[in-house]
Amino acid sequence: VLVEEVFDCLPVVAPRFPSLRSRAMGVGRFRGHRDGRRLCRAMLPAVALPILCRIATAQRVDPKSGAESVTFDAKVDGKTRRMGVSLDANYRWLYDDAQKDCNSGDKASMEACYLQGLDREAYEETYGIYVARGDPSEVRLQYAAIGKYNAKPNYGSRIFLTDMDSDDGSGYYNFKLVGSEISFTMDLQDVPAGMNAAVYLISMDPLGNLGATYPHGQANEAGWKRGVGYCDAQCPKDLHFVQDQGYYEQGRVMSCCPEMDLFEGNRFAAAMTAHPCSTLSQSTCDTNTTECTNPCDTDGADVNLFRRYGPQKAIFELVDLKKPVTVRTRFIDDSGTLTRIEQVYEQEEGGQMVQKFNMTIDDQPIAEQKKLFDEPNVFADVGGVAKMGDAMDRGMVLSLAIWADPDSNMNWLDSCMQNISKFDCSLHPTFDSTDVFWEAWREQPGAWRGPLD
């Protein structure tokens, strides 16, 4: 059985700021080998809003801002389907009834503030998010944007796909991909070193914890409509509103959940990584308590051909980055249990799609790589590929993001990743020849993730 959905993620040529533009994404179910697939009509899950009885409201939706309706076209089983985007709550303005900043106050007061609603103009000018401009199936993320009310640029963005064609037109789109495939076409030529253009799945609540009643009695009425509910396998602590726990000062509460990175990279490096967790859905953890632990495989099962095989395996040496690249990921199962993840990079040549290279996540090769790199195999400890599949069976939300990492310059993705006890990257910080890679390899295989200083 094959169900197909199409979106598109590509970067645009910006005169000052890099961007990711994404335009064509597809999803399909299959059994066995791909030449044995067959198409059929599929029903996609509808997400229903709960009926709530509230004592008070929190994370409110300003009635003057209305519902967001920035949409693009997707192909589902060969037919057009309307998808929306929702900017993560952490990037939005938080304000009170007088339209003044909510930047301090007790927990209950902060939860009673509004999360900014955005029209198309605000998405574009303030956040650099361009949806269905020119191409009805294109989403473009520009790294920096200066809105008319901003003194300084907003840097980076993170959006989630929403389901605008369900019966009630509500919720994040819920992807269930075991036994399926998903594809997207991207343009990376303007995504520079030290930046990450990410396309990934996370086990967020499909309604953004809409209607959750917080400990002080306030209820979340913003939810998915304002990008609430983020989590990933890094268990971020920088969220203002944490799942169903309400407002917290940043740096205290971790927001954890399984994560499947379909693509993380730029025009120099590329990686696919599976991050299962011992829990199958989102969870929180208060770091002020002694029993707080991360339930997820933070490092994950990563496949980065440059890291594993060295020079001549950087993404710009494997594909022509002057042209769009299609990434197709298949989640292969055996009687419903995920057994391996296969990914293929393709480009059009002479009117036909040509395979350029492929990558695979499988328990045994990952175990061998962990041993080679002298890394603990937390992936296996948590449950490996099958555990990742268990989370995917429950449904995951697709996120597109573009961000920079000033603290580490994204070295974990495209340069030498420092571990001073095993290898000192500062001994030869400039990647000026292939010898640099192999010198490091003799001391610490896998230290170099990409060919950048």
Side-chain angles (χ1 to χ4, degrees):
V1 181
L2 178 69
V3 179
E4 268 196 290
E5 306 176 10
V6 179
F7 314 70
D8 204 327
C9 282
L10 307 164
V12 79
V13 178
R16 295 178 56 197
F17 305 126
S19 63
L20 166 70
R21 191 172 82 205
S22 120
R23 206 193 55 212
M25 191 168 297
V27 176
R29 288 194 68 79
F30 67 93
R31 290 289 186 273
H33 302 290
R34 61 176 174 174
D35 55 358
R37 293 180 290 168
R38 58 189 179 89
L39 292 171
C40 74
R41 174 77 174 164
M43 294 184 63
L44 298 174
V47 183
L49 290 172
I51 297 175
L52 305 170
C53 179
R54 296 188 177 94
I55 300 172
T57 58
Q59 292 169 242
R60 293 186 292 169
V61 174
D62 188 342
K64 296 188 293 294
S65 65
E68 295 186 0
S69 58
V70 180
T71 64
F72 66 99
D73 290 342
K75 291 293 184 181
V76 180
D77 197 17
K79 296 183 179 180
T80 300
R81 186 181 184 90
R82 196 165 58 106
M83 291 281 179
V85 301
S86 183
L87 178 69
D88 189 294
N90 244 37
Y91 293 79
R92 296 174 184 257
W93 181 33
L94 190 65
Y95 60 97
D96 60 20
D97 289 302
Q99 292 206 328
K100 294 183 177 180
D101 292 340
C102 284
N103 51 26
S104 63
D106 59 36
K107 186 175 168 64
S109 297
M110 296 298 287
E111 289 169 359
C113 294
Y114 294 114
L115 276 168
Q116 174 194 28
L118 305 171
D119 58 15
R120 180 177 290 276
E121 180 182 3
Y123 265 100
E124 294 179 354
E125 295 184 2
T126 306
Y127 295 100
I129 300 168
Y130 298 83
V131 180
R133 284 298 192 190
D135 187 323
S137 63
E138 178 182 287
V139 176
R140 173 162 52 97
L141 305 183
Q142 183 171 292
Y143 176 64
I146 305 176
K148 58 186 176 183
Y149 301 113
N150 298 83
K152 297 180 180 180
N154 288 313
Y155 293 105
S157 60
R158 181 168 62 213
I159 60 174
F160 314 117
L161 298 195
T162 61
D163 187 4
M164 304 301 289
D165 269 358
S166 62
D167 291 341
D168 54 11
S170 61
Y172 301 126
Y173 191 86
N174 204 26
F175 288 84
K176 295 184 177 181
L177 293 171
V178 174
S180 307
E181 70 173 39
I182 183 169
S183 65
F184 53 91
T185 298
M186 59 186 179
D187 182 347
L188 295 170
Q189 61 183 322
D190 300 305
V191 183
M195 193 165 289
N196 187 1
V199 182
Y200 61 110
L201 297 154
I202 41 179
S203 295
M204 289 174 62
D205 181 87
L207 294 180
N209 306 106
L210 184 71
T213 301
Y214 299 146
H216 291 85
Q218 288 82 11
N220 170 15
E221 66 175 29
W224 66 273
K225 293 177 283 186
R226 296 295 184 263
V228 175
Y230 185 74
C231 58
D232 65 34
Q234 308 304 310
C235 293
K237 296 185 291 183
D238 62 346
L239 304 178
H240 293 301
F241 295 100
V242 184
Q243 297 180 27
D244 58 358
Q245 300 297 305
Y247 180 85
Y248 280 94
E249 291 292 336
Q250 292 181 320
R252 176 178 171 181
V253 178
M254 301 195 306
S255 184
C256 309
C257 68
E259 172 185 352
M260 178 65 223
D261 299 324
L262 302 172
F263 177 86
E264 288 186 293
N266 49 49
R267 65 174 182 250
F268 297 96
M272 170 179 64
T273 310
H275 298 273
C277 304
S278 58
T279 55
L280 297 182
S281 57
Q282 60 180 198
S283 62
T284 60
C285 184
D286 189 339
T287 58
N288 284 359
T289 63
T290 56
E291 55 275 357
C292 182
T293 59
N294 184 343
C296 301
D297 177 14
T298 300
D299 290 340
D302 68 298
V303 182
N304 174 337
L305 295 186
F306 183 94
R307 185 188 186 202
R308 179 64 180 83
Y309 298 107
Q312 286 76 57
K313 294 296 183 181
I315 186 171
F316 63 85
E317 295 174 299
L318 299 173
V319 300
D320 181 0
L321 290 179
K322 295 188 295 295
K323 302 190 302 184
V325 182
T326 296
V327 180
R328 189 180 304 279
T329 310
R330 304 182 181 102
F331 299 90
I332 299 171
D333 72 313
D334 182 359
S335 301
T337 299
L338 185 65
T339 56
R340 70 182 183 278
I341 302 166
E342 295 181 349
Q343 190 171 82
V344 176
Y345 280 61
E346 302 172 337
Q347 283 191 302
E348 184 176 348
E349 294 182 2
Q352 295 183 333
M353 295 303 292
V354 177
Q355 179 175 323
K356 308 301 286 188
F357 68 93
N358 64 283
M359 302 189 292
T360 301
I361 294 177
D362 202 337
D363 287 333
Q364 185 58 36
I366 291 298
E368 294 169 358
Q369 177 176 282
K370 294 287 187 182
K371 184 177 180 180
L372 175 66
F373 293 165
D374 193 22
E375 297 173 343
N377 193 356
V378 180
F379 182 69
D381 295 340
V382 170
V385 171
K387 195 71 171 182
M388 189 75 252
D390 290 343
M392 298 184 75
D393 274 336
R394 298 169 65 95
M396 303 184 84
V397 175
L398 187 72
S399 176
L400 309 179
I402 187 165
W403 58 286
D405 181 15
D407 292 336
S408 71
N409 296 316
M410 214 69 74
N411 288 349
W412 59 270
L413 176 64
D414 59 21
S415 186
C416 187
M417 182 64 177
Q418 179 87 344
N419 186 332
I420 197 69
S421 65
K422 298 178 181 179
F423 178 73
D424 185 355
C425 292
S426 65
L427 295 176
H428 201 142
T430 304
F431 196 90
D432 51 11
S433 76
T434 58
D435 292 340
V436 175
F437 180 92
W438 298 114
E439 287 171 5
W441 185 273
R442 285 191 287 271
E443 293 188 46
Q444 177 53 52
W448 282 95
R449 315 299 181 86
L452 298 174
D453 300 341

